Amino acid sequence: MTQTVNECYECGTLTKDTQIIDNRHICNDCLNEKYAICSDCGEMVSIDNTYTTHDGRTICENCYENNYFTCDDCNQIYHQDTGHIYLHDGSTICEGCSYEYYYCRDCEEYFHPDDMVY
């Protein structure tokens, strides 16, 4: 049985050893260098379309958009199930950064100390 030789979509190498990702043949070298497995959904995706969470996990763009947020204070990525608050200006803050913010009882919103009037 003869294996088909395919051209790698990424580097153009002709090889029998390719994986098909998004209907494209990818050689094993490019697969190891340019692709990653999403920690949430298990899909193999281009590393150009991944995010790294605060705890070092790699997630795909789809999982990020549907299940995660970026803290507007520390710029780290957290799952939506973790504690977070929304500030008066629409920003989202992770639980760790929330201790640096104050709750205004009059307007029932959170503020950065620089935005508070005492």
Side-chain angles (χ1 to χ4, degrees):
M1 180 178 197
T2 306
Q3 263 188 319
T4 304
V5 174
N6 297 297
E7 181 178 354
C8 175
Y9 173 80
E10 295 287 346
C11 69
T13 299
L14 296 176
T15 181
K16 294 177 183 177
D17 297 319
T18 62
Q19 302 285 328
I20 298 176
I21 299 174
D22 293 332
N23 295 320
R24 299 176 178 142
H25 290 274
I26 309 297
C27 72
N28 290 334
D29 289 339
C30 288
L31 189 67
N32 291 332
E33 293 174 16
K34 299 179 181 186
Y35 288 81
I37 297 174
C38 175
S39 296
D40 275 18
C41 69
E43 290 291 319
M44 180 74 72
V45 294
S46 169
I47 59 172
D48 294 337
N49 298 324
T50 62
Y51 296 84
T52 303
T53 63
H54 75 285
D55 55 359
R57 294 174 38 248
T58 299
I59 56 170
C60 69
E61 193 170 32
N62 188 51
C63 287
Y64 172 78
E65 290 174 358
N66 292 313
N67 302 310
Y68 289 82
F69 72 95
T70 299
C71 174
D72 290 314
D73 193 68
C74 68
N75 292 317
Q76 296 291 313
I77 296 173
Y78 294 88
H79 196 277
Q80 290 177 356
D81 290 345
T82 61
H84 58 282
I85 62 170
Y86 299 102
L87 300 182
H88 71 286
D89 63 1
S91 300
T92 306
I93 304 300
C94 71
E95 185 176 19
C97 292
S98 69
Y99 298 107
E100 299 174 24
Y101 291 79
Y102 295 103
Y103 182 75
C104 174
R105 293 176 198 240
D106 291 338
C107 60
E108 299 179 347
E109 293 184 294
Y110 286 88
F111 290 84
H112 188 274
D114 294 343
D115 297 329
M116 297 288 291
V117 177
Y118 300 96

